[in-house]
Each structure stands twice: as structure tokens, then as C-alpha cells.
Amino acid sequence: MREGWRSSTLGDACDLIKRGITPKYIEDTGIRILNQKCVRDHAVDYSLARRHDSSLKRVPEERIVRLGDVLVNSTGVGTLGRVAQIRNEFEEAVTVDSHVTIVRPKQSIFYLDFFGYMMIRIESQIAESGEGASGQTELSRSSLAQNFKVQYPESLSQQQRIVAILDEAFAGIASAVESAEKNLNNATQIFDNYLNGALTQTRDGWETTVVGDLCTLKSGTTVSKNLEKPSGDLPYLKVADMNFPGNEMSIISSSRFLDMSDISKSAVFPVGTTIFPKRGGAIATNKKRITETPICTDLNVMGVIPPSNLLPKLLYYYFQNVDMRELGSGSSIPQINNYDIEPMSISFPRSEDEQSKIVEQLDTLGEQTHRLLSIYREKLDALTELKKSILQKAFSGELTAEPDKTLAEAGL
């Protein structure tokens, strides 16, 4: 332990570690209540809060959120462990629901903003500590209080100096993240705008029709599990296999295969088919792929097969311009049916040479866009790692430089 630093359990470092209330929701009045959606990226989004009718169920005073409290998401895979500190005063009373834990530091031993950074430091450990079945992961109060060790300087002024460095460093990182995200979105928007213009601005020599009159629509088929093989004649895809390595843009393989002798030829999607998820939450991913090899799929996938007078890649780009999330119908489980696809208007040049030129232009711009997206995503990943590195130094006693020097060393 570094000289002048202490170590304790989180429970010993806090005055309160408790879940929020089970709310009685009301629309317009009542106390504001924060939920897990409100806790993201180490900040609290109050716009996602709802209202609780405190006349039906009183909120204990200790569960009214205070300045300096850290909110910890405490249920659910993917949400559990996210933390955010309350760093601004409220204009009204605020509490949290039962899926969020209020962690209140002892003000006698913490400069409050230091405690917030300390909780961010252990966020990944908290996220990995849940117990229970998949999708029902829970973080108990006792686990949070007893199983996590925290280290901090005994000197409040030293804590305050560390916070000053972290505030400036994190502000610089946030600015860099905002710039990278803006560039990423711009690159995507440029391609989308070009794609939209290339396939919607009809000219002389173009044909306009509907997808149902032009193309063949096909859905997957049910295949007995015992016919699936680790290798074989034909890749057999389920929706998850659209993300199989190498299938990021076009389908070349799968995690499972079939032998041609085991299935009907009518179940095969030929080369050049554009496929996409047709059922359930996977529709929201808006994924489309073009087949580079004949494949077979399960019932959750639909394919659109182009006619001989339409280049398969041009049809694929046409569907890249379609938001599948707007098509899904169904009460509890979204589903795309043939009647959702058939009436779609499609225009294309009759000349195969002109079709080829459009595809070549889109391919070139697409490659450039993917390179840019890769660069910006790598930068965002690097900035995330930089935050972790700075926090590591802060809590190992290595962060002693002035803010400007720390930012310069980080390249910000």
C-alpha cells in the first residue's frame, strides 16, 4: 500500500448501499425516478426518467438521491455494473428504482468527486460479479459492500488534486470521442446519401417496377439437427451465422453445413441472393448480405433472388438503402413477410454496362467508407483504453503531474 493511502471494503467506505424502490408509476406529477437506462457512459440522463406516485408509496428519506451519490446498475446482462455519479444539485427530489443501487460515500473520508472516479475504476469488476441465470443477473447489496476493495489517499486535498487532473484529462478525451463519433457518422452519411441518389434518381433508359414482379422471394427451411455437419457441400445459415468470420458483407461460409443429397434443390439460395433476418429482434440489426456461394438457411432468414437482367450486386445495394426495421409486423414478435417486400418500388438501368458502372462506383466508395470507419472505431477503442490507463495511474499513485502535462503526454 502506498504511503498515505488506505484500503477498505466498499461497505466500510460508505454510509449507504441500498437498492431503490419498486415504483408506482404516474405520468405527470410525483417524484422523478431514475432507472437503468438513465445510467450510461458515466453520466445520468434525466430525460429517460419516469415519475413515481409517492402518495401511494412513500419514498424513505435515505433513498432520495444526494449530491455525490454513485448509482450502480444492479441487474441484467449488459447493463449490470454501469456507474454514474450525481455531480450536480437537483431542482427537485429524485430517487431510483429497484434495479439501481445507491452508493453513498462517507463525506468525512472522501472528496466526493474522487469517490465517483474510484467507482468508475472498479466498474468492470462490478459488471463481472453478477449472479444468476443469463438475462437475470443480479448484483446483491452484500456483494457490493463486502467483495470490493477500494484504495484512496487519506488526504482530501490529494484526492482533490487527482480529481482536477482526471477532470481535465477526461474532458479532453470526451472532446476527442465526440469528434471521432462525428467523423464516423459523417462517413456513413456520405455513403448513404450517395447510395440513395444512385438508386432513386431515375433517368432515360431505366426501368421502374416492384420487387415482387421482378425478383423471386424465398424463405429458409427447417432442417433436421442431425443433418448438420461441421463441413459439407452447402453452408447452412442461421441468423447468427451472418456474423460468422468472413461473412461481414457477403456470405462465404457458416458454422454448420449440409450435404446436397440431404435436402431439396428448392431449398437452396443461389449465388447472388440478398438475404436478411425476417423474424424477431434480429430485424432491428438491419443486416443484409449477398451470397457468394449457394447456401441453405433456417426459417428466420429471407432471400431475394434477382432476375437475369439485374446484377445481383445492384439488388444488394438496393436493399442496403431499405430500413428493414420499418417493415417488421406482428404483435409480440416482429416478422417480415413477402407482402412487405413485394410492393417495394425499384428502379435500375436496362443497360448491364450502366449497372456495372453504378456497382463499381458504390464498391469504391464503400471500400473508402469502410476504411474510414475502421480508423474512427480504432480511435474510439484507443480513447477508451486511454481512460482506463489514466485511471490505473491515478489509483496506483503514478498520477502526480499537472493536468496540462497529463493531457500532453496522452496526445490530447
Side-chain angles (χ1 to χ4, degrees):
M1 177 65 62
R2 296 170 299 286
E3 184 177 354
W5 284 62
R6 293 187 60 186
S7 175
S8 70
T9 64
L10 192 57
D12 288 338
C14 295
D15 286 329
L16 178 76
I17 299 179
K18 279 191 177 179
R19 292 277 191 100
I21 66 166
T22 301
K24 303 291 185 183
Y25 287 119
I26 191 172
E27 289 301 320
D28 300 322
T29 59
I31 186 171
R32 180 178 285 185
I33 186 159
L34 303 173
N35 54 56
Q36 293 196 114
K37 292 180 181 178
C38 300
V39 179
R40 187 180 293 275
D41 297 327
H42 308 141
V44 178
D45 185 348
Y46 297 98
S47 69
L48 299 174
R50 299 180 67 182
R51 296 280 175 178
H52 164 69
D53 190 345
S54 52
S55 68
L56 295 179
K57 186 174 185 178
R58 188 182 68 85
V59 180
E61 181 63 30
E62 65 178 5
R63 297 187 192 183
I64 300 295
V65 176
R66 304 175 189 175
L67 188 69
D69 286 354
V70 172
L71 309 183
V72 181
N73 285 355
S74 299
T75 66
V77 175
T79 54
L80 185 144
R82 293 203 305 247
V83 306
Q85 186 175 38
I86 305 299
R87 294 188 69 171
N88 298 298
E89 293 280 6
F90 302 114
E91 295 181 355
E92 60 179 316
V94 176
T95 188
V96 298
D97 71 15
S98 58
H99 299 290
V100 179
T101 300
I102 301 171
V103 180
R104 182 167 297 151
K106 292 182 176 178
Q107 294 194 32
S108 59
I109 62 174
F110 285 112
Y111 180 68
L112 292 180
D113 292 350
F114 178 89
F115 182 81
Y117 279 121
M118 188 178 69
M119 291 297 293
I120 293 174
R121 173 74 178 85
I122 63 172
E123 183 179 52
S124 61
Q125 300 172 38
I126 297 173
E128 295 169 359
S129 66
E131 301 174 350
S134 176
Q136 298 296 323
T137 306
E138 294 276 345
L139 175 67
S140 68
R141 175 202 174 280
S142 60
S143 174
L144 197 54
Q146 299 168 16
N147 296 343
F148 294 93
K149 289 276 189 178
V150 291
Q151 293 82 37
Y152 52 93
E154 293 180 289
S155 165
L156 295 183
S157 61
Q158 186 179 353
Q159 292 182 26
Q160 189 171 2
R161 284 195 298 273
I162 291 172
V163 166
I165 296 172
L166 290 174
D167 276 352
E168 192 161 350
F170 275 42
I173 291 172
S175 178
V177 167
E178 182 179 1
S179 177
E181 289 178 338
K182 182 177 180 180
N183 288 335
L184 190 152
N185 291 332
N186 285 344
T188 302
Q189 192 63 51
I190 289 170
F191 179 77
D192 289 345
N193 288 344
Y194 186 87
L195 175 62
N196 183 61
L199 297 177
T200 59
Q201 297 177 11
T202 60
R203 310 164 186 88
D204 289 341
W206 282 53
E207 179 178 336
T208 299
T209 183
V210 294
V211 172
D213 290 342
L214 180 71
C215 303
T216 301
L217 275 60
K218 178 191 289 287
S219 292
T221 188
T222 299
V223 174
S224 174
K225 180 72 174 176
N226 61 18
L227 296 179
E228 297 179 14
K229 298 175 173 62
S231 62
D233 303 326
L234 200 66
Y236 177 54
L237 274 77
K238 299 188 178 181
V239 169
D241 294 306
M242 294 176 72
N243 292 330
F244 189 77
N247 288 352
E248 291 80 10
M249 293 182 65
S250 55
I251 301 300
I252 60 174
S253 189
S254 180
S255 62
R256 56 192 70 108
F257 291 80
L258 300 171
D259 286 337
M260 286 294 297
S261 59
D262 290 330
I263 62 166
S264 167
K265 289 184 179 180
S266 63
V268 177
F269 290 76
V271 172
T273 303
T274 293
I275 66 168
F276 45 84
K278 61 168 287 187
R279 190 172 187 273
I283 293 174
T285 65
N286 220 14
K287 288 184 291 194
K288 299 101 176 180
R289 304 287 190 268
I290 186 171
T291 60
E292 289 193 12
T293 185
I295 67 167
C296 188
T297 76
D298 73 2
L299 287 170
N300 295 316
V301 176
M302 177 181 285
V304 184
I305 304 168
S308 60
N309 62 334
L310 177 63
L311 290 180
K313 194 68 175 290
L314 193 60
L315 179 66
Y316 165 75
Y317 277 126
Y318 167 83
F319 274 96
Q320 287 294 95
N321 208 30
V322 175
D323 189 346
M324 312 307 288
R325 295 168 294 188
E326 297 179 356
L327 303 179
S329 58
S331 53
S332 58
I333 300 177
Q335 181 157 317
I336 296 174
N337 298 290
N338 285 12
Y339 56 74
D340 296 307
I341 304 296
E342 289 169 343
M344 290 181 178
S345 177
I346 181 170
S347 300
F348 60 95
R350 295 188 183 93
S351 166
E352 186 173 323
D353 285 343
E354 191 173 350
Q355 290 184 34
S356 295
K357 288 178 183 178
I358 294 174
V359 168
E360 183 178 350
Q361 291 168 351
L362 289 169
D363 281 346
T364 299
L365 183 58
E367 289 171 4
Q368 295 171 348
T369 300
H370 281 293
R371 280 198 296 271
L372 287 173
L373 294 180
S374 178
I375 291 170
Y376 297 138
R377 285 172 181 141
E378 286 176 3
K379 184 170 184 178
L380 288 170
D381 289 342
L383 290 168
T384 298
E385 290 304 312
L386 178 58
K387 288 177 71 173
K388 293 178 182 178
S389 174
I390 292 174
L391 279 173
Q392 172 64 28
K393 289 182 178 181
F395 289 92
S396 61
E398 300 174 39
L399 197 61
T400 57
E402 293 301 315
D404 289 344
K405 183 177 179 182
T406 298
L407 287 170
E409 291 174 351
L412 298 173

